[in-house]
Structures are given as C-alpha cells and as structure tokens.
Amino acid sequence: MPSSDRPVVAVAALGGTISMARAAGEDGVVPRLGAADLLGEIGADLPMDVRAETLAGLSSASMDFATLLRTRAWGAQQVEDGAAGLVVVQGTDTLEETAYFFEVTWPYDAPVVITGAMRNPSLPSADGPANLLAALTVAADPRSRHRGSLVAFNDDVHEARWVRKTHSSHVEAFSSAPAGPLALVAEGAVHYFHPSAPRVPALDAVSYAGLVPVLEAGLADTGELLDTVVKAGAKGVVIAASGVGHVSTGLADVIERVLPDLPVVIASRTGAGTTFRATYGFRGSESSLIAMGATMAGWLCPRKSRVLLHTLLAVGADRAEIERQFRLRGDL
C-alpha cells in the first residue's frame, strides 16, 4: 500500500526502444520488457510510490489513436484514484505526437509526462533508466501540476506544444525551438524556468476512423497527391507547406477546389517558426490560402496539426470551431 506522505505516480508502458531486447536467432531488438522490468532498472529506493501497468508492446512507428485512447482512459482512472501524475513510456519516433495528443485531451491538473529512450537496454550507456527516473520525478513534483503534457528526456523537460524529435539517433534527440526547455532535472529535483501558463480547455477524446493525412508541399507540386487523397475519402488534410505557409499555384488550385468539402490546415514544414497571415500576396501565399478558407496552423508543426485536426473531427467540430481551436492553440 502507498505511504500517505508519498506521492503516487502511475506508469503506463507502451513499448518502444526503452523496452527492446534481442532474442536468440533474431536480427534486431524488439519490444519485450514490461513496466515491471523498466522500473526494476532504476531500483526500489524511489521517493514516490508507483502503480505500473504494461498496456502495449509496440514500436512507436505503429502507435495509433486506439492505443492512446486506452492509455488516456487508464491514466484518468489512476488520477481519479489519487495518482499525482501519469508517466507514459513509449518509443521516440511518435513521442511528440503522443505528447500533443495528451496536451489536447487531458483535462486534469495532474501532469502527464512522456518519456522513452534512444538506446536500447543492451547498448552501452542506455538512457532509458535515467529518462524514466526523470519522468517520475517530474510527475511527482507538485510544481508540475497545471502544466498539462510534458516530455522528460535527457534531463530536459519540454512542453508538448513545442517539443520535436530533431535527431534520428542522438540521446539529445528532443528540442523545443524556439521556446527552449521548460525545466531541467538535476540532483533528483525539477528546476522550472517559467511559471505555469493558463491552459486551453481540453477536448473530448473519442474514437475516430476518418482519414486525416499530412501532405508535404514540394518542388513542382501540381496538387495531384491532394486530389488523390480527397478521392480516397480524406476527411481533412494538413499541408506541410513551404516557409511561412506557401504552396505552388497548382496545389493552390486544388486546395481552392476541395475547401468547400473538407478542412485544409496549412502548417510550415521548416521545423521552426510560425505561418504568416498577411505578408505575401501571390497565389499560393498565406494570404491567398486564407482567402480561400484554409486554416493556418500558426506555431504548430504539421504532425501536431494532424493530431489536433483528427481530434477536432472526432468530436464533430465544424469549420468555425476548427479555425477557433487552431488560433487558440497555434498562435502565441
């Protein structure tokens, strides 16, 4: 039984590199370790009590909304039963999307902290145990309340809104340009650099099977791919556009044609910076796309824009509400 003077942290293990091991005769590592195995790596002398469960054993490339909805429901029950925070352990490939899903749908003051590892447990200096311990520390700290969804990785603490995986293999794979980390974990404590900011009210989290793809605009883009996904039944589309939200004239023609029937969100493919609203005037520029009825993502990257659009379509949001939510969450 948990001690009355110790915080309780719930841990949901979903798989990923942090849980991977190699079996005899196999060419590579695969998810094998559960929540108890991961916690065993960091020892028993923890300053918090832990409730842990293995909810999935996936590579993060195979993460899906159904698993995230199930994890959210489990975490919500843990918080309602008194947990001070929730730690979600998964692979890093889609970690930023999981973090933003919780940012959009988590209604509790108790934080959600997402973590994982870049090096599997069989490699020298595997980073999983340190990342998990940091995540537990963040989730248990009272100052983490009201901060929504966070990522604890390589001793940095990032806000879900800003964090991105920016390196394919280094242990310092996550960064938060241009905002920078929210906090640092050192000597078993969290050191916050900024006070908690007001949170946008959470959206409902419901199952949705509609197709919501991300399409990247590029050189000599005719818009043919957008036409193809619309004909395939897409319910909404995110365009990873050039620069501050620009597309070719060919793609602009298709966007204008499909906009009456489905929402189109324009995000920047650059990896940093916001979409503009009223600087450029050529066809395919941000101002021309807005005039057509496209929604600008602001500071949200294409991947997070897709998570938000998927969630909004799931709850039946109309075009006006989609526009309002992207302004609330995408603009500073």
Side-chain angles (χ1 to χ4, degrees):
M1 294 295 292
S3 170
S4 60
D5 61 349
R6 286 159 56 93
V8 176
V9 176
V11 177
L14 305 183
T17 295
I18 193 172
S19 72
M20 292 192 181
R22 188 194 310 267
E26 291 182 342
D27 293 332
V29 294
V30 298
R32 293 187 182 278
L33 306 180
D37 301 308
L38 300 179
L39 289 165
E41 290 291 318
I42 60 177
D45 188 20
L46 296 172
M48 73 287 290
D49 293 306
V50 178
R51 300 179 194 147
E53 189 165 333
T54 304
L55 300 183
L58 301 171
S59 68
S60 66
S62 293
M63 186 57 63
D64 54 34
F65 284 104
T67 301
L68 294 181
L69 287 167
R70 185 159 48 89
T71 303
R72 180 187 177 277
W74 182 86
Q77 186 60 59
Q78 298 302 311
V79 169
E80 290 171 4
D81 290 343
L86 170 65
V87 171
V88 177
V89 185
Q90 71 156 73
T92 60
D93 288 347
T94 56
L95 189 148
E96 66 199 81
E97 290 152 277
T98 291
Y100 195 65
F101 168 82
F102 277 100
E103 177 63 23
V104 169
T105 66
W106 187 250
Y108 301 99
D109 293 337
V112 181
V113 187
I114 322 295
T115 196
M118 295 302 296
R119 295 174 178 165
N120 72 73
S122 69
L123 295 176
S125 301
D127 55 327
N131 287 340
L132 178 54
L133 181 57
L136 289 167
T137 301
V138 173
D141 194 307
R143 293 170 300 168
S144 299
R145 294 180 65 81
H146 312 290
R147 294 183 184 270
S149 178
L150 306 169
V151 169
F153 217 93
N154 201 37
D155 288 336
D156 287 326
V157 182
H158 302 272
E159 290 183 277
R161 177 183 180 181
W162 296 111
V163 69
R164 298 187 70 185
K165 186 175 181 180
T166 55
H167 198 284
S168 63
S169 61
H170 282 182
V171 293
E172 67 275 21
F174 289 88
S175 63
S176 292
L182 179 66
L184 176 73
V185 178
E187 294 189 321
V190 188
H191 302 266
Y192 279 105
F193 308 139
H194 309 287
S196 59
R199 295 187 62 206
V200 178
L203 300 171
D204 289 337
V206 297
S207 179
Y208 182 66
L211 176 63
V212 185
V214 175
L215 305 180
E216 182 168 319
L219 184 69
D221 194 335
T222 63
E224 183 177 359
L225 186 55
L226 176 57
D227 248 339
T228 299
V229 300
V230 170
K231 291 173 183 175
K235 303 302 182 184
V237 178
V238 175
I239 304 294
S242 305
V244 296
H246 296 163
V247 302
S248 68
T249 54
L251 181 52
D253 291 343
V254 180
I255 289 172
E256 186 172 37
R257 187 167 71 248
V258 304
L259 267 169
D261 299 316
L262 82 166
V264 176
V265 174
I266 306 297
S268 175
R269 71 179 192 178
T270 60
T274 183
T275 52
F276 279 10
R277 301 193 69 85
T279 296
Y280 295 90
F282 58 86
R283 184 164 180 80
S285 68
E286 76 286 351
S287 60
S288 77
L289 294 172
I290 290 170
M292 294 174 192
T295 294
M296 306 308 285
W299 291 91
L300 293 178
C301 74
R303 293 184 287 278
K304 290 174 187 173
S305 296
R306 176 177 178 256
V307 171
L308 179 54
L309 182 57
H310 181 281
T311 304
L312 288 167
L313 291 172
V315 298
D318 60 18
R319 297 286 286 278
E321 179 62 8
I322 289 171
E323 180 71 26
R324 188 181 79 86
Q325 286 288 336
F326 270 91
R327 281 182 174 266
L328 276 173
R329 300 173 188 275
D331 292 347
L332 286 177

